[in-house]
């Protein structure tokens, strides 16, 4: 390691950590939403594709937040 003052340091982005946790919790809750939606009278096909859309959205969100997990500060 050098003591150069111009060295960039990767710092953990706390906003990305919070985003990952929120997306994970939303995805985990969506796993149990299918029977709940059917209980309220939503058809299986509509409930399935709604849950699938939420899962896709959260997966894309997690990927986005992982790619932005570190900030470089100089």
């Amino acid at each position: 390691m050098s003591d150069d003052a111009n060295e960039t340091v990767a710092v953990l982005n706390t906003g990305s950590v919070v985003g990952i946790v929120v997306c994970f919790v939303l995805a985990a809750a969506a796993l149990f939403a299918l029977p709940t939606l059917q209980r309220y009278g939503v058809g299986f096909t509509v409930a399935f594709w709604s849950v699938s859309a939420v899962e896709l959205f959260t997966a894309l969100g997690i990927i986005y937040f992982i790619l932005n997990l570190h900030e470089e500060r100089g």
Side-chain angles (χ1 to χ4, degrees):
M1 293 185 48
S2 67
D3 293 330
D4 189 13
N6 295 331
E7 187 175 326
T8 59
V9 178
V11 178
L12 188 64
N13 185 354
T14 55
S16 288
V17 173
V18 170
I20 290 170
V21 170
V22 168
C23 285
F24 176 77
V25 169
L26 186 60
L31 290 175
F32 301 102
L34 186 61
T36 305
L37 290 173
Q38 285 184 309
R39 195 173 307 133
Y40 286 114
V42 179
F44 175 78
T45 305
V46 174
F48 174 79
W49 287 111
S50 299
V51 169
S52 297
V54 170
E55 293 291 339
L56 177 64
F57 175 75
T58 56
L60 292 175
I62 288 174
I63 291 169
Y64 171 78
F65 289 126
I66 286 175
L67 292 175
N68 295 313
L69 192 57
H70 294 289
E71 298 175 335
E72 293 199 17
R73 295 187 183 162

